[in-house]
Each structure stands twice: as C-alpha cells, then as structure tokens.
C-alpha cells in the first residue's frame, strides 16, 4: 500500500489561505493599537484604560496564536511545501519583532508602585492571575538594556 498524503482541513483556523496577508495586516494594526497605550501606561492609568489595553492585548494574542498554529500545522502537513515553509518563517520573524515591540508592558508594569499594581490587578479579574505572575517574577525579568 502506498501512502498518499492528504491536505488537512485548517479552515477552522484560517478560512482562506489567500487572505493570510490580510490577517497579518490586522495583526499589525492590533499591535499598533496596543503600542498606542505606551504613552498612557503610567501608574496613574485608570482601571478602564488599563482594562481596554488588556482587552486589546488579548485580541492580539488570539489572532497571533491562531496564525502561529496555522503556520505550524500547514508546515507539518507537508514539510516540503515551499509556501508553508515561507509562511512559517514569516510568522516566526513577525513574532520575534512583535515580542520585542511589546516588551515595554512587563518592563514598565513591574516598576509601578505596589499599590497601583494591586489596584490594576484587582480591577481586572479575567487577567489577575497573569498580571500577578508578572509581579511575582519581576526579579527574573531582564532590564531594557539586558533585553
């Protein structure tokens, strides 16, 4: 019996492979929206503004994660597929760039006074655990210079 590779149905992740660039544009717009909070990200940020930032971060993470999973599954489907290899590489490069562009969140948040961190964490129940972990691990986060 000869093995016949088949295409996997990944439409639950990305409905149209021809629109991958459009999804990447949306991802970039979401990141720019997150970056727009950078100037307002001070200990005095309101809970509402902070929660909006967290919501936008979650939207970014959801789309970014979906595209990364799609890239890895598409590549795994046929590791000789040049299009899949190129897209996976593109996603990895974009992911590295975007991670660098979002470092400010953790680096700035850990510098906030404890009372402001506590206020913001308490005011965001859906992300309180992750935010608390950032604070708990602040001794292990590299500085701007080290990054």
């Amino acid at each position: 019996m000869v093995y016949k590779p088949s295409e996997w149905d990944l439409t639950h992740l990305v409905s149209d492979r021809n629109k991958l660039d459009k999804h990447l544009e949306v991802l970039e717009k979401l990141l720019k929206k997150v970056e727009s909070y950078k100037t307002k990200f001070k200990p005095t940020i309101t809970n509402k503004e902070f929660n909006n930032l967290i919501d936008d971060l979650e939207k970014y993470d959801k789309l970014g994660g979906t595209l990364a999973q799609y890239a890895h599954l598409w590549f795994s489907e046929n590791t000789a597929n040049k299009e899949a290899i190129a897209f996976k590489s593109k996603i990895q490069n974009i992911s590295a760039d975007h991670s660098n562009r979002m470092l400010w969140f953790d680096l700035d948040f850990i510098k906030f006074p404890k009372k402001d961190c506590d206020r913001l964490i308490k005011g965001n129940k859906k992300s309180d655990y992750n935010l608390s972990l950032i604070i708990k691990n602040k001794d292990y986060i590299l500085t701007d210079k080290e990054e």
Side-chain angles (χ1 to χ4, degrees), residues 31-88:
L31 178 57
K32 285 183 179 180
K33 187 170 183 191
V34 167
E35 288 176 319
S36 74
Y37 290 92
K38 199 172 181 179
T39 58
K40 304 174 217 170
F41 197 61
K42 297 175 178 26
T44 55
I45 190 171
T46 66
N47 281 37
K48 182 179 182 193
E49 197 72 26
F50 184 74
N51 290 341
N52 290 340
L53 167 58
I54 297 299
D55 289 344
D56 289 335
L57 276 168
E58 287 176 350
K59 289 174 194 170
Y60 170 85
D61 282 342
K62 182 177 180 182
L63 179 57
T66 298
L67 292 173
Q69 291 303 314
Y70 181 85
H72 287 284
L73 289 171
W74 185 22
F75 169 74
S76 297
E77 174 186 71
N78 177 359
T79 58
N81 180 334
K82 292 187 187 321
E83 277 185 280
I85 293 167
F87 185 69
K88 182 176 174 261

Side-chain angles (χ1 to χ4, degrees), residues 8-38:
W8 296 349
D9 179 11
L10 303 176
T11 56
H12 60 288
L13 294 173
V14 174
S15 59
D16 185 354
R17 194 171 281 166
N18 296 319
K19 294 184 179 176
L20 288 172
D21 286 336
K22 183 69 177 160
H23 290 297
L24 293 174
E25 288 174 21
V26 171
L27 189 67
E28 179 65 27
K29 284 180 185 172
L30 285 169
L31 178 57
K32 285 183 179 180
K33 187 170 183 191
V34 167
E35 288 176 319
S36 74
Y37 290 92
K38 199 172 181 179

